[in-house]
Amino acid sequence: MKPMSTKPAAAESDQALRLEQFLPYRLNVVGFLASRALGRIYGARFGIDIPQWRVIAQLGEFGRLTSRDIGELAQMHKTKVSRAVGELSTRGFVSRAANRADRRETFIALTPAGTRLYAQIAPLALAFQQRWIAGISGEEMRVFERVLSVLTERGRHLAGGSGDGQS
Amino acid sequence: MKPMSTKPAAAESDQALRLEQFLPYRLNVVGFLASRALGRIYGARFGIDIPQWRVIAQLGEFGRLTSRDIGELAQMHKTKVSRAVGELSTRGFVSRAANRADRRETFIALTPAGTRLYAQIAPLALAFQQRWIAGISGEEMRVFERVLSVLTERGRHLAGGSGDGQS
DNA sequence: GTCAATTAGTTGCAGATGAAACCAATGTCA
DNA sequence: TGACATTGGTTTCATCTGCAACTAATTGAC
């Protein structure tokens, strides 16, 4: 890292833009790091990617869901849900069962193998989170999470969000 | 959103996993929202995407940089830098000049048109950030940013990071 | 009851992305 | 000096992603 500055075009306004302090940039970087770190943990160990993990997590938490519900709960585009569920289904981790009351939608649920997988991954995920926030005081984390909630909620509406879509 | 719970497979351990409270998930969502909102602002208005914006921001801040420096400063994979610089170059916003001292690397800098573009976008970006954090107290933001820094730094090392790469 | 509008979910397609291969230039070490 | 490793940067290729179009089923208006 040798900046090699010659003509800093910024710094004329009262408040200059510095990318490494710019909030959208920082949030995007930390979000990317989170995904990458977590993805490596159970990606290499279980052959699961992030969308698949989210599907499994929601099913492990709520039991039985439609694809639409999964998308809404896990903030995933419906095509991503469709593909993740398809892959998990062919691998035998989830089952699909038509809803007889509304035959457009399908109930997705964990199979026994899927439940075992969830029982393996969930503790790892929680342990990872613990290791990540170790040493940060409870009060600081409370403030952090409160602000994070505000930013998330506001971010959903700030630029006219359509609703879903996720990396 | 109708969870339709039947058999909540979780909640057996002393600490159940709830995805909407899971930090990596939350950070990834807010990061995505940040990118999307910001990307729409100057994407629709200037035809610039996020990687290109990051390149311009760094050049506007530091003046003249090699592609390698841009990648390190802006946390971008070198192929992404290469493509962003290539596109910005053909559009006349940046110039490339070989370094005569080390002819492997190339100096990238904003052209006059690029500087004008930066002068237009930077205030918009700052205003967007202000609108986003409006109403949050200074003390809360200080705590938030401090924790964010810790999480970012730790996230870089937690799962054996290679260094670059970015969405 | 019928037809238009809506919804759940899948698929085709075009663009974005990163790993790996690659090229040219520089550094290193004998 | 001469081999070999390293580095800056580009390109190829396989994959992922989301938009748009599509099918099938349901709802609503009349």
Side-chain angles (χ1 to χ4, degrees):
Chain A
M1 184 162 77
K2 39 168 179 164
M4 196 62 174
S5 178
T6 32
K7 43 166 185 175
E12 77 289 317
S13 164
D14 56 337
Q15 180 147 3
L17 175 68
R18 302 199 45 212
L19 190 63
E20 66 273 36
Q21 296 179 358
F22 187 52
L23 202 58
Y25 166 72
R26 296 186 65 186
L27 291 175
N28 199 42
V29 167
V30 77
F32 167 79
L33 292 174
S35 280
R36 190 187 62 175
L38 199 59
R40 279 183 185 168
I41 286 182
Y42 46 67
R45 221 168 298 185
F46 304 99
I48 296 280
D49 64 14
I50 305 253
Q52 291 169 4
W53 152 249
R54 288 196 186 172
V55 169
I56 288 179
Q58 295 294 3
L59 292 174
E61 185 175 341
F62 291 109
R64 194 180 67 171
L65 296 166
T66 66
S67 288
R68 200 193 86 73
D69 293 334
I70 295 172
E72 187 156 345
L73 289 167
Q75 293 289 304
M76 290 167 64
H77 195 271
K78 63 176 179 176
T79 60
K80 201 179 285 188
V81 175
S82 175
R83 283 156 182 152
V85 168
E87 175 68 13
L88 290 172
S89 175
T90 62
R91 293 224 260 151
F93 292 130
V94 306
S95 62
R96 307 193 215 214
N99 177 10
R100 309 176 110 258
D102 183 345
R103 290 187 356 257
R104 285 173 302 184
E105 57 186 23
T106 309
F107 287 129
I108 319 290
L110 292 176
T111 61
T115 304
R116 282 195 298 276
L117 186 63
Y118 176 72
Q120 282 188 287
I121 298 183
L124 279 184
L126 284 170
F128 171 76
Q129 177 175 20
Q130 287 307 314
R131 233 183 332 137
W132 204 11
I133 66 176
I136 302 173
S137 82
E139 178 55 24
E140 280 179 320
M141 276 310 290
R142 259 187 298 281
V143 173
F144 180 79
E145 294 191 358
R146 199 165 56 238
V147 173
L148 188 62
S149 293
V150 173
L151 294 180
T152 302
E153 192 48 39
R154 219 173 271 178
R156 232 182 276 285
H157 305 305
L158 255 190
S162 65
D164 48 14
Q166 190 52 201
S167 73
Chain B
M1 183 163 74
K2 37 168 179 161
M4 197 61 175
S5 178
T6 31
K7 43 167 185 172
E12 77 289 318
S13 164
D14 56 336
Q15 179 148 5
L17 176 66
R18 301 198 45 211
L19 190 63
E20 67 272 36
Q21 296 179 359
F22 187 52
L23 203 59
Y25 167 72
R26 297 186 64 186
L27 291 175
N28 199 42
V29 168
V30 77
F32 167 78
L33 292 173
S35 281
R36 191 187 60 176
L38 199 60
R40 280 183 185 167
I41 287 181
Y42 46 68
R45 221 169 298 186
F46 303 100
I48 296 279
D49 65 13
I50 305 252
Q52 291 169 4
W53 151 249
R54 288 197 187 172
V55 169
I56 289 179
Q58 295 294 3
L59 292 174
E61 184 175 340
F62 291 108
R64 192 180 67 170
L65 296 166
T66 66
S67 289
R68 201 195 85 74
D69 293 333
I70 294 173
E72 186 155 346
L73 289 167
Q75 293 290 305
M76 291 168 64
H77 195 271
K78 62 177 180 176
T79 60
K80 201 179 285 189
V81 175
S82 175
R83 284 158 182 150
V85 168
E87 174 68 13
L88 289 172
S89 175
T90 62
R91 292 224 260 150
F93 293 129
V94 306
S95 62
R96 308 191 213 214
N99 178 9
R100 310 176 109 258
D102 183 345
R103 294 195 344 264
R104 286 173 300 184
E105 57 187 23
T106 310
F107 287 129
I108 319 291
L110 292 176
T111 61
T115 304
R116 281 195 299 276
L117 186 64
Y118 176 72
Q120 281 188 288
I121 297 182
L124 279 184
L126 284 169
F128 171 76
Q129 177 175 21
Q130 287 307 315
R131 233 183 332 136
W132 205 10
I133 66 176
I136 302 172
S137 81
E139 180 55 25
E140 281 179 320
M141 276 310 290
R142 260 187 298 282
V143 173
F144 180 80
E145 293 191 358
R146 199 165 56 237
V147 174
L148 188 61
S149 293
V150 173
L151 294 180
T152 302
E153 191 48 39
R154 220 173 270 178
R156 233 183 275 283
H157 305 304
L158 255 190
S162 65
D164 48 14
Q166 189 54 201
S167 74

